[in-house]
Amino acid sequence: MALTAITLLCFAALLPFPGLGGHDDHSGEHMGILTDIPVKVTVTNKFANTKISYPDTVVTAGTPMFGVLNKLKDNSSFNFTYTINKSFGIYLESVNGLAGSNENHTYWELLSKKGNSISRLNVGIGCYQPKKNENFIMNFTTWD
């Protein structure tokens, strides 16, 4: 029960609340008016040397990546699974049927590409809010 409450609080804290003042020109929200933004999702696999880019998913600015992935899942052949970790929230387990493995030291690395710059995310899909025209990359890789 406490885990559910924490997860809901994290999600609720990230929802945009129009009219509470202030705005971030980079978020797609301006003066309390919610706007839709396109987000690209790309799945790469270091070992199979594959790359799948999905058509832009249009979501409301401020939507967590978890919501973007659920919308993409509803509208394409994309699929993912997750668990809820008591300490860290929503944890991405598998993408398109491929799961990370402690035994093989593999996992899904979460990256953001904005322009020509790629950076590793420091939060998961439950808290990360992509920006307009961002390319969210899920890279199957190893930690060795």
Side-chain angles (χ1 to χ4, degrees):
M1 182 64 157
L3 176 60
T4 302
I6 291 169
T7 301
L8 290 174
L9 286 173
C10 179
F11 181 74
L14 296 173
L15 291 175
F17 294 100
L20 291 181
H23 67 276
D24 177 0
D25 290 332
H26 301 291
S27 71
E29 183 179 337
H30 182 69
M31 298 178 67
I33 299 170
L34 299 179
T35 59
D36 288 339
I37 61 167
V39 178
K40 179 173 281 312
V41 174
T42 301
V43 176
T44 60
N45 182 331
K46 169 184 171 179
F47 308 107
N49 199 27
T50 59
K51 177 180 175 180
I52 303 169
S53 293
Y54 293 92
D56 288 356
T57 301
V58 178
V59 296
T60 302
T63 299
M65 202 62 217
F66 181 71
V68 175
L69 296 179
N70 274 303
K71 187 169 183 180
L72 179 61
K73 182 178 178 179
D74 290 342
N75 298 319
S76 72
S77 61
F78 174 80
N79 197 350
F80 75 105
T81 63
Y82 64 93
T83 57
I84 298 180
N85 179 288
K86 291 181 181 180
S87 299
F88 301 109
I90 300 171
Y91 177 77
L92 181 65
E93 278 191 334
S94 74
V95 176
N96 295 335
L98 181 60
S101 162
N102 284 332
E103 182 179 312
N104 296 324
H105 297 211
T106 56
Y107 74 106
W108 285 99
E109 177 183 37
L110 305 179
L111 305 168
S112 170
K113 182 175 182 184
K114 298 173 191 160
N116 292 326
S117 176
I118 297 177
S119 58
R120 180 178 291 141
L121 300 182
N122 59 3
V123 296
I125 61 174
C127 292
Y128 184 70
Q129 296 177 333
K131 303 295 185 222
K132 183 178 181 179
N133 297 317
E134 180 174 340
N135 186 357
F136 180 76
I137 302 168
M138 292 176 283
N139 180 41
F140 192 69
T141 190
T142 184
W143 65 74
D144 282 343

